[in-house]
Amino acid sequence: MYRTAAKRLIVGVTSGINGIHRLRLPPPSTFLDHSSFSTATNSQEFPNSQIPNQHHIRQETPTSSDSASSSSSSWSTSTSGEETRSHENRRPRVEYQEEQARVLQAALSHVVKLGWTEAAMIAGARDIGMSPSIVGSFARKEAELVEFFMDDCLQRLIDLTEAGEGLKNLILRERIYKLVRARLEMQAPFISKWAQALSIQAQPANLATSFKQRAMLVDEIWHAAGGDASDIDWYVNRTILGGIYSATEIYMLTDSSPDFQDTWTFLDNRLKDAFDIKKTVQEAKYLAEAVGAGMGNSLQGFVGKLFQR
Amino acid sequence: MALRSVTRRIGSKFLPMFSSANLLHSHATSFGFKEVPEEEKSRLVGNVFSNVASNYDLMNDLMSGGLHRLWKDRLVSELNPFPGMKHLDVAGGTGDVAFRILDSISDVKRRAMQDVREDDLQEQTKIYVCDINPHMLNVGKKRAVEKGLGEEGSLIWVEGDAEALSFQDNSMDGYTIAFGIRNVTHIEKVLDEAYRVLRRGGRFLCLELSHVEAPVFKELYDYYSFSIIPAVGELVAGDRESYQYLVESIRRFPSQEKFASMIVDAGFQKVEYENLVGGVVAIHSGLKL
């Protein structure tokens, strides 16, 4: 966790896209929060010291829903501390971030049928016995559902790498291949609706978060694969990896081979290319292609969604 | 974006101010700028609304330049209604908000055709319009008939007091109060009742005339409120006092921040408010968990 937190700071500085008010970031899932909450409360200190703190508070809080707190001990931001304090004399309460996360989690099971939509969120809220009115409290509705999924996948990927299964004996390229594949396999169940998710991410209001989530993902993959260089290569490598990841993601959308075999071949080839050629020109071209394909496909998905109505 | 969020922090920050809020509601309460005994206020407010009921819509349009329609649209879009919703609209006698919610739900239904379950749910939609004043309710019922909603089973008109609702605990998905909470005697009681009737995940939304802070705009707005509105009221509705009360009661209503802290104190989470037209009106929202 400390490692990701530290890197996130660097992401904020280097990406430049969203570095202004997102410099100091709490653990991943806090994008779900209302932005003004996170800006208001994150300015105090760096997450390092918050994490043990938070657990401390959490134990004090009388929990009326164990399921919520167990599934999401790291969901709440530093607001939880303050909220608890000012209301310790009142009835036991659940933090709304946790409840929203539960709604989103439940909504995921409806995504395949209903898409990344408010309808899925409403159905999710019904599933956990919560009034669907809560959907109105999400400022960016379905975008927050997609972002929740992205954060969830990132968390799962981190857990996976920390478990460190079968990565040790491989060379760098193979480790990257495994990690990218593991991450992309997480969205395989949603592949029929993934174009829609990309189009939601590409909407102007959501772009900042999407870029950041992707930067964090690439960062995590690169780090977990063991790429430790901190010179200029570090930026270049990350950029290329980002390009390859996006390109593979787009390739996967139209891949109808069993278990996405073609996609994995494509990924492997791209990684080989990158490692073999190591020509900046070539790398820049990949990136341009990937970005172009990404934008085009998102747009296509968006237009498709419009006509679908 | 004028949207500002109020974290629960405010609860502690504004605790000292609660004492003054309580004073306001202890023995004497405000009726406009006048201090009146508590028992008197509801009768006086009742008179005001009985007097203005017939011209209510016309006056709203004149006073706000038609903007109140947009404000109510905004309120409903914040609410995000859905098919099968149980909603309580308090102080909504003329049905303005209720009709919008109903429209919005049938619109959502059209959009979400792929979900078959929604068809059955549509039948279960219930929108309760609660108003303490039967004259205002009559205006609403009449308008429902005019709109062709006279037979609409989703609309239920209830005469009732916002401070003591006749609905069961945890029975509502949504609660709105538009231009009403200013007129009640005990704001805290209304908020407590709202919290009581809402289900987990239910939302409280309040649209209310509020406080303008921007310097020049404030002077203009004050001039408009105190000089023009009562005059227009006299001219159109033949009732200067009622509209004098209206503008005075706006000034006596707690500021956005303070009202938000009162909502927090009633138990709501994710309390936020949004100023419209620089604070002429504000939409407060809270989430019950």
Side-chain angles (χ1 to χ4, degrees):
Chain A
M1 276 318 264
Y2 300 110
R3 161 162 62 78
T4 38
K7 274 187 297 161
R8 218 157 288 132
L9 186 67
I10 302 164
V11 174
V13 179
T14 53
S15 63
I17 301 150
N18 43 35
I20 306 125
H21 61 280
R22 294 280 196 180
L23 270 182
R24 298 177 175 184
L25 274 172
S29 48
T30 41
F31 309 122
L32 302 172
D33 299 348
H34 203 277
S35 60
S36 30
F37 267 105
S38 41
T39 44
T41 48
N42 293 335
S43 51
Q44 337 159 314
E45 52 183 333
F46 199 63
N48 281 11
S49 54
Q50 284 174 12
I51 293 160
N53 218 346
Q54 228 175 41
H55 282 290
H56 177 56
I57 291 158
R58 195 140 297 286
Q59 277 156 11
E60 283 177 355
T61 325
T63 44
S64 57
S65 77
D66 289 340
S67 57
S69 45
S70 66
S71 68
S72 53
S73 53
S74 62
W75 293 128
S76 66
T77 52
S78 43
T79 47
S80 65
E82 283 154 358
E83 285 168 6
T84 319
R85 229 173 294 136
S86 60
H87 281 273
E88 53 204 352
N89 52 346
R90 297 186 66 86
R91 60 203 109 179
R93 49 172 67 246
V94 194
E95 301 306 330
Y96 77 89
Q97 290 98 334
E98 290 179 8
E99 294 301 316
Q100 287 192 331
R102 282 180 64 210
V103 171
L104 293 174
Q105 186 69 53
L108 285 181
S109 63
H110 297 274
V111 164
V112 175
K113 187 159 150 260
L114 299 173
W116 304 89
T117 57
E118 275 176 47
M121 293 166 82
I122 288 172
R126 285 212 173 92
D127 283 355
I128 59 167
M130 172 119 358
S131 165
S133 253
I134 195 173
V135 175
S137 73
F138 291 96
R140 288 180 299 123
K141 307 280 184 309
E142 63 269 9
E144 294 191 41
L145 181 59
V146 177
E147 284 157 18
F148 172 82
F149 177 70
M150 290 289 285
D151 285 333
D152 190 39
C153 288
L154 180 65
Q155 196 55 50
R156 271 151 61 197
L157 189 73
I158 292 172
D159 293 346
L160 207 72
T161 56
E162 276 169 6
E165 297 167 24
L167 285 178
K168 295 206 175 63
N169 307 323
L170 301 171
I171 60 169
L172 182 61
R173 177 168 60 75
E174 283 166 346
R175 279 187 298 229
I176 292 178
Y177 170 81
K178 276 210 135 178
L179 288 163
V180 172
R181 181 172 168 167
R183 174 59 185 78
L184 285 174
E185 273 172 347
M186 288 177 196
Q187 58 202 44
F190 301 97
I191 197 69
S192 61
K193 301 287 180 193
W194 193 247
Q196 188 192 6
L198 288 177
S199 78
I200 291 169
Q201 288 184 315
Q203 282 163 24
N206 312 326
L207 259 184
T209 319
S210 314
F211 268 117
K212 184 165 61 255
Q213 286 184 320
R214 263 145 212 279
M216 277 166 52
L217 171 62
V218 168
D219 220 32
E220 187 56 41
I221 294 176
W222 189 251
H223 187 95
D228 288 330
S230 55
D231 52 5
I232 189 70
D233 263 7
W234 189 75
Y235 299 102
V236 176
N237 289 336
R238 262 183 6 134
T239 314
I240 300 163
L241 180 54
I244 294 179
Y245 178 86
S246 303
T248 315
E249 186 178 21
I250 303 298
Y251 189 94
M252 193 176 171
L253 288 178
T254 52
D255 184 2
S256 54
S257 61
D259 291 334
F260 302 102
Q261 280 310 322
D262 292 354
T263 304
W264 313 134
T265 316
F266 174 84
L267 170 63
D268 198 31
N269 290 339
R270 295 293 79 72
L271 284 171
K272 274 180 189 149
D273 288 349
F275 276 86
D276 291 346
I277 300 167
K278 288 203 169 173
K279 274 183 189 161
T280 319
V281 181
Q282 185 72 11
E283 288 156 358
K285 208 178 112 203
Y286 276 136
L287 179 70
E289 270 173 17
V291 170
M295 297 297 249
N297 213 305
S298 303
L299 194 69
Q300 199 185 345
F302 181 61
V303 171
K305 203 178 111 193
L306 279 182
F307 282 102
Q308 196 185 333
R309 255 176 219 171
Chain B
M1 227 13 212
L3 184 76
R4 302 232 355 234
S5 304
V6 184
T7 64
R8 191 143 299 102
R9 236 159 0 120
I10 286 177
S12 54
K13 209 196 285 176
F14 282 82
L15 272 178
M17 297 175 88
F18 272 72
S19 46
S20 62
N22 288 337
L23 271 181
L24 200 70
H25 297 289
S26 55
H27 302 294
T29 187
S30 64
F31 178 75
F33 288 164
K34 285 184 288 238
E35 295 291 321
V36 295
E38 280 195 350
E39 318 75 72
E40 279 284 282
K41 178 165 178 172
S42 54
R43 191 180 58 79
L44 289 166
V45 171
N47 288 345
V48 165
F49 282 92
S50 304
N51 290 346
V52 302
S54 51
N55 288 307
Y56 188 74
D57 280 326
L58 177 63
M59 279 304 291
N60 276 349
D61 276 335
L62 278 177
M63 287 186 298
S64 69
L67 281 176
H68 74 101
R69 293 162 191 272
L70 300 181
W71 297 334
K72 286 166 183 163
D73 284 346
R74 177 83 199 159
L75 176 77
V76 172
S77 80
E78 287 270 314
L79 176 69
N80 207 40
F82 56 93
M85 184 174 199
K86 305 266 181 297
H87 184 84
L88 174 60
D89 181 38
V90 173
T94 57
D96 259 357
V97 175
F99 297 144
R100 281 179 171 77
I101 294 173
L102 214 55
D103 286 349
S104 164
I105 289 179
S106 33
D107 192 46
V108 169
K109 191 191 162 203
R110 243 177 283 130
R111 278 188 304 166
M113 279 301 234
Q114 67 261 45
D115 195 356
V116 193
R117 293 187 300 169
E118 308 239 309
D119 279 337
D120 315 332
L121 289 169
Q122 179 75 2
E123 313 286 306
Q124 297 168 19
T125 308
K126 290 270 179 290
I127 297 166
Y128 299 88
V129 182
C130 175
D131 204 302
I132 198 164
N133 193 314
H135 298 278
M136 299 290 279
L137 277 176
N138 287 335
V139 174
K141 284 179 196 165
K142 210 187 294 168
R143 288 183 48 199
V145 174
E146 284 165 13
K147 276 176 164 280
L149 297 170
E151 303 299 308
E152 177 63 72
S154 302
L155 280 175
I156 297 145
W157 307 86
V158 185
E159 192 180 326
D161 184 355
E163 294 180 20
L165 294 170
S166 55
F167 301 95
Q168 291 186 335
D169 298 4
N170 310 317
S171 58
M172 296 292 164
D173 291 308
Y175 179 109
T176 50
I177 181 164
F179 305 123
I181 203 158
R182 195 181 67 240
N183 300 312
V184 304
T185 313
H186 307 98
I187 297 176
E188 297 85 353
K189 276 193 196 167
V190 174
L191 293 173
D192 285 344
E193 279 293 276
Y195 191 82
R196 181 181 67 80
V197 298
L198 280 171
R199 284 173 61 196
R200 270 166 58 73
R203 285 178 84 220
F204 166 87
L205 286 157
C206 170
L207 176 65
E208 190 52 89
L209 292 149
S210 202
H211 296 268
V212 175
E213 295 302 336
V216 179
F217 187 49
K218 184 176 163 62
E219 317 303 318
L220 279 172
Y221 178 59
D222 280 348
Y223 175 77
Y224 176 73
S225 316
F226 286 105
S227 308
I228 298 178
I229 287 182
V232 172
E234 191 171 16
L235 205 68
V236 178
D239 184 354
R240 189 183 183 93
E241 279 71 39
S242 293
Y243 289 93
Q244 186 69 33
Y245 160 74
L246 172 82
V247 294
E248 288 177 5
S249 68
I250 297 169
R251 282 5 183 239
R252 293 305 297 259
F253 189 68
S255 71
Q256 285 91 327
E257 295 279 329
K258 191 156 143 193
F259 184 48
S261 69
M262 291 166 85
I263 298 172
V264 168
D265 209 53
F268 287 101
Q269 296 210 37
K270 200 175 195 290
V271 175
E272 299 170 345
Y273 68 83
E274 178 184 15
N275 282 333
L276 304 174
V277 202
V280 172
V281 294
I283 296 178
H284 282 77
S285 66
L287 177 67
K288 176 178 174 177
L289 286 177

